Amino acid sequence: MRVFPSFLDPITRRRILRLTDQGNNVHLYFTENAFVRGRPEIIFRSDRASGKKCFPHENPHYNLFRLNYQTGEITQLTDEDEPVGSTTKTPDGRYIAYLCGRQLRLLDTQTGETRTLYEDTGQFKLYSPSISPNLRYVGFVRNERVQTENTNVNYGGFKENYYQIKDGRVTLARIDGSEWFDVHRDTCWLGHFQFAPHDPSLAMFCHEGPWHLVTQRIWLLDLASRRVHPLFRQEEQDSVGHEFWTQDGLIFFDNRGPNHDGTITRERTQATVHPPEASAFQPYLGFLDVEGRLLQRYSMPYYCNHYHANPDHTLLVGDEADRLVLIDLRQDPPQLEVLAYHGTSWYTQASHCHPTFCWDGRHILYASDAGGQVNLYLLEL
């Protein structure tokens, strides 16, 4: 049994486990959940098997791994010739869908079988895989390839892609690999495709780009009728993003107000270091139902780069410029508690903290490149 090193946070004195100490290690995106339901395990990407030491902006060769955070056992799950990119999985961790080069691939961790569900000819880039709750499809988005600067630095090409991409598609591939087909075609850059957690006929996606330039961010797709309708109809002052499904099927979103592009840079210019003025638009968070009705709204005298909700969405974890915070939505106004100093650089997407709750809300997983490479950390509430 491997014993994870732990340390006391210098601000809060909370004990934090450092789960990784070799290579770059990246957990699943905050719209997903890296934790395996019912077991003390996480799924993550790492370049630890590449034989090369590099920093997160130097194109690490990622593969997929499973880590048991009680025993310390780490198991390599893939050995791909090209780096593994965006990844999703079923809550129980049996099926893992991931992007690799121009392919969408599916791993059955029980049998060890890996199959290719879709392979692109070079016209499109693939994003945001998601597995339907009835285990029949993997959905993803395809956006046309355009001539923008190709950089791993945080938000490289963000604005340019917004203006240049005019062909974005939502695509479904059967899990058995028998066919794939488009269910929606748009004239915008698409992202954040996510099946509803309990209804395989519903999915959400977004119009991607700088938040203050996107006039309607969040969309619901009825996969049976192939109709789309806007969730949270935006007005002139709204800058909306970071949408995700809660475990019980609500949609979370973050509205930061006019002129906010939704980014954070290594200069930390877009987080609570520079809070909104009292007389300006008041940022707020909200929860929607699938009809787009605003069920709950919480004004925020502060805002973070990302949020994630616990199982009954009474608590949020957020990543401020330098700290992780816990936000108690049961209080009026919501109360903020500092959890830990994360110390990440924000230099690349891989070094975003993306703090996420486990399925029962007892643990929070986050990433930081403090020290140069990206590592994973776990704290218990």
Side-chain angles (χ1 to χ4, degrees), residues 235-275:
E235 298 183 359
E236 183 177 359
Q237 287 196 311
D238 296 322
S239 294
V240 171
H242 288 154
E243 61 287 335
F244 64 83
W245 292 99
T246 63
Q247 289 190 35
D248 58 355
L250 301 183
I251 299 103
F252 171 92
F253 72 99
D254 179 9
N255 189 356
R256 301 189 183 178
N259 302 318
H260 200 302
D261 64 5
T263 71
I264 185 169
T265 68
R266 64 190 308 181
E267 288 77 28
R268 294 161 165 76
T269 55
Q270 292 280 35
T272 55
V273 173
H274 302 284

Side-chain angles (χ1 to χ4, degrees), residues 30-317:
F30 76 96
T31 57
E32 308 298 323
N33 195 317
F35 289 91
V36 175
R37 178 177 275 164
R39 298 202 298 272
E41 297 174 351
I42 63 167
I43 304 298
F44 68 106
R45 293 185 298 141
S46 177
D47 66 342
R48 62 185 52 232
S50 68
K52 297 180 180 179
K53 180 178 180 179
C54 59
F55 292 105
H57 64 281
E58 296 176 324
N59 296 307
H61 191 120
Y62 291 115
N63 269 289
L64 289 172
F65 293 78
R66 179 175 55 224
L67 179 150
N68 185 307
Y69 54 84
Q70 288 185 354
T71 68
E73 181 181 8
I74 296 178
T75 305
Q76 184 169 348
L77 300 176
T78 64
D79 187 16
E80 295 285 3
D81 293 333
E82 296 187 74
V84 170
S86 296
T87 301
T88 187
K89 65 173 186 60
T90 51
D92 65 1
R94 175 171 178 177
Y95 294 103
I96 305 176
Y98 59 94
L99 303 180
C100 184
R102 294 178 177 177
Q103 295 182 338
L104 168 68
R105 294 172 63 76
L106 183 76
L107 168 65
D108 183 338
T109 61
Q110 191 171 96
T111 66
E113 178 189 5
T114 300
R115 67 170 65 102
T116 299
L117 304 185
Y118 171 85
E119 184 166 9
D120 193 72
T121 59
Q123 182 182 356
F124 293 90
K125 286 186 176 182
L126 313 183
Y127 299 80
S128 305
S130 180
I131 301 173
S132 65
N134 62 0
L135 304 182
R136 293 184 60 188
Y137 297 100
V138 178
F140 57 105
V141 295
R142 303 189 292 151
N143 292 294
E144 64 173 328
R145 291 181 179 270
V146 294
Q147 296 299 314
T148 58
E149 182 182 3
N150 186 14
T151 173
N152 283 333
V153 175
N154 210 5
Y155 297 101
F158 194 44
K159 187 175 181 180
E160 292 80 3
N161 278 326
Y162 167 75
Y163 281 110
Q164 291 189 33
I165 292 173
K166 306 301 181 186
D167 186 352
R169 308 183 187 191
V170 176
T171 305
L172 298 186
R174 292 190 183 274
I175 278 183
D176 64 8
S178 61
E179 68 169 335
W180 62 268
F181 49 92
D182 292 332
V183 292
H184 177 65
R185 183 171 179 175
D186 216 323
T187 58
C188 302
W189 179 19
L190 305 184
H192 282 200
F193 178 82
Q194 305 163 60
F195 276 106
H198 306 297
D199 187 344
S201 70
L202 296 179
M204 174 171 56
F205 67 92
C206 76
H207 285 180
E208 187 61 276
W211 294 13
H212 63 304
L213 299 179
V214 175
T215 57
Q216 179 57 48
R217 166 84 180 197
I218 314 173
W219 297 84
L220 187 79
L221 170 60
D222 184 321
L223 293 161
S225 66
R226 301 194 183 183
R227 295 183 62 184
V228 301
H229 71 260
L231 290 172
F232 183 73
R233 291 178 176 266
Q234 290 181 221
E235 298 183 359
E236 183 177 359
Q237 287 196 311
D238 296 322
S239 294
V240 171
H242 288 154
E243 61 287 335
F244 64 83
W245 292 99
T246 63
Q247 289 190 35
D248 58 355
L250 301 183
I251 299 103
F252 171 92
F253 72 99
D254 179 9
N255 189 356
R256 301 189 183 178
N259 302 318
H260 200 302
D261 64 5
T263 71
I264 185 169
T265 68
R266 64 190 308 181
E267 288 77 28
R268 294 161 165 76
T269 55
Q270 292 280 35
T272 55
V273 173
H274 302 284
E277 298 177 2
S279 59
F281 180 96
Q282 180 67 61
Y284 66 91
L285 313 173
F287 292 92
L288 309 165
D289 65 14
V290 294
E291 301 299 325
R293 291 185 290 257
L294 182 60
L295 303 180
Q296 298 163 310
R297 170 175 171 157
Y298 301 95
S299 295
M300 289 286 113
Y302 38 76
Y303 45 90
C304 299
N305 195 43
H306 306 89
Y307 297 93
H308 196 253
N310 71 339
D312 63 1
H313 44 84
T314 56
L315 298 174
L316 298 174
V317 61

Side-chain angles (χ1 to χ4, degrees), residues 285 297-302 314 316 326-337:
L285 313 173
R297 170 175 171 157
Y298 301 95
S299 295
M300 289 286 113
Y302 38 76
T314 56
L316 298 174
L326 190 70
I327 301 169
D328 189 343
L329 300 180
R330 296 167 296 188
Q331 306 297 316
D332 186 16
Q335 296 298 303
L336 180 148
E337 175 190 350

Side-chain angles (χ1 to χ4, degrees), residues 2-8 15-22 69 72 375-378:
R2 172 175 170 240
V3 178
F4 291 109
S6 66
F7 59 94
L8 295 179
R15 185 167 296 279
I16 299 170
L17 294 182
R18 177 169 173 161
L19 299 182
T20 59
D21 57 9
Q22 180 181 344
Y69 54 84
N375 281 291
L376 298 177
Y377 301 85
L378 188 73

